[in-house]
Amino acid sequence: MEKMKAVVTYAPNDIRYEEYPKPECGAGEVVLKVKGCGICAGDIKAYHGGIRIWGTSEENRYIEPPCIPGHEFYGEIVETGEGVTDFGIGDTICAEQIVPCGECEFCKNGTYWMCKRSAVFGFKKYANGGFAEYIRIPKTAVKHKIPKSFTQEQSILIEPIACGMHALEQANIKHEDVVVIAGLGAIGLSMCNIANLALPKMVIGIEVKENRIAMAKEFGADVILNPKNQNVTEEILKLTDGLGCDVYIEASGNVNSANQGLELLKNHGRYVQMGVLGDLVTADWNMIGDGKELTIIGSHLSARVYPAVIRGIEKGLIKTDGLISHKFKLAEVHKAYQTAESDPAAIKVMLEP
Ligand SMILES: [Zn+2]
Ligand SMILES: [Zn+2]
């Protein structure tokens, strides 16, 4: 069996750079030579364990180790299986982060990102991820061609930007809205950019890290607030005649940010949960009903927006400049994870073979 180099997950806090069987191409599948793969906050959370990924025992865990992490990949097709007609050898493509089953109620009604039997690339052996020299794209994966003009940065950011664009679609932004985006990582910065394409009244970003604050203006935030040295609630009430914001998009994953959102929203405001929270939230639930008549909206993955993201980048409407802060080789995966986690200058960190 042919071998390749890959990063392999064995257990919480145990990933190794080693040899792994090179994937074979079955009917309806394609194999990519990976050109790069971004590190998601979810990859780091999975690395450290966490009950939603690792469960409480081998029977109820989501992850199936040993498997290869990484869902923000792109690459060039080097092999096509029997029956593949819409893509050919030499095409540069990416696949959406979820591999839907193609058969459940959600897949059949077109809401495949909610598939009950899906795998996200990087967590199961049949959907090994992009921290490798080659990746097999299963038949039911949702593939997209990437224009030849795209840079490595643009190609890798399609996935995270798509997640942000879905959250914005969930928020249904209108011209009169004051939109608050809490957490300006790569996705949050990009959401400032894309929110502006709907011409709302104001986009306000909330962030504590200095380099992200410095980038936020360029990405379209009209006002940036830092909760470390400002009273965010007071500032937003000042900016909105004491009413609060119309839309609050939680993109930081910080549990305090959830409460902050309920507090900052105006009566009839819309709260969108996009970030993956690190812990349970305790909140005054009456704020939703008896208080403000709020709408609470979820946002999961990216829902049919990849083509729009690719178009937006191609037209120059969606910016990616500077969102990739660090690039490492696969062999340096431990250093890359550490940088993503603890370097204050990190925005999106990526790996390449
Ligand atoms: Zn991701
Ligand atoms: Zn399904």
Side-chain angles (χ1 to χ4, degrees), residues 31-242:
V31 170
L32 307 185
K33 187 172 184 358
V34 176
K35 292 182 138 184
C37 188
I39 298 173
C40 182
D43 295 321
I44 309 273
K45 280 176 193 151
Y47 171 62
H48 287 304
I51 205 162
R52 292 195 62 206
I53 301 291
W54 292 93
T56 50
S57 71
E58 269 188 39
E59 284 68 52
N60 64 17
R61 67 187 181 191
Y62 176 74
I63 193 165
E64 286 170 5
C67 56
I68 302 172
H71 58 263
E72 301 176 3
F73 59 83
Y74 81 110
E76 187 182 320
I77 297 181
V78 290
E79 240 182 297
T80 56
E82 200 192 313
V84 174
T85 53
D86 40 357
F87 296 90
I89 288 173
D91 284 346
T92 302
I93 71 160
C94 61
E96 296 192 19
Q97 66 297 85
I98 190 173
V99 183
C101 76
E103 288 167 3
C104 73
E105 178 184 323
F106 297 99
C107 286
K108 285 199 169 132
N109 73 18
T111 56
Y112 62 88
W113 65 99
M114 300 309 306
C115 172
K116 281 297 280 177
R117 280 181 281 154
S118 65
V120 170
F121 276 106
F123 297 97
K124 311 260 184 198
K125 263 173 269 181
Y126 79 88
N128 267 329
F131 296 164
E133 287 182 282
Y134 296 92
I135 180 169
R136 181 186 67 95
I137 309 298
K139 190 176 175 180
T140 54
V142 189
K143 302 179 279 294
H144 300 278
K145 244 179 232 178
I146 298 177
K148 289 287 179 198
S149 63
F150 272 34
T151 62
Q152 193 177 43
E153 184 167 57
Q154 289 172 324
S155 307
I156 281 173
L157 286 162
I158 294 169
E159 191 273 341
I161 292 175
C163 293
M165 189 184 268
H166 178 48
L168 292 169
E169 283 202 331
Q170 296 291 83
N172 192 16
I173 292 167
K174 306 278 194 253
H175 306 305
E176 291 296 301
D177 287 341
V178 172
V179 180
V180 172
I181 296 167
L184 303 181
I187 296 178
L189 285 167
S190 179
M191 282 199 284
C192 292
N193 175 188
I194 298 170
N196 258 313
L197 300 177
L199 298 175
K201 194 188 278 174
M202 200 189 303
V203 175
I204 302 171
I206 301 179
E207 177 57 53
V208 293
K209 288 184 180 156
E210 287 304 332
N211 65 322
R212 298 177 181 197
I213 291 171
M215 286 173 78
K217 270 259 148 72
E218 246 174 85
F219 276 80
D222 299 296
V223 177
I224 303 124
L225 300 172
N226 182 351
K228 266 193 184 159
N229 50 35
Q230 281 169 302
N231 183 326
V232 170
T233 308
E234 258 174 38
E235 294 300 321
I236 288 180
L237 289 176
K238 258 190 249 167
L239 289 164
T240 55
D241 294 326

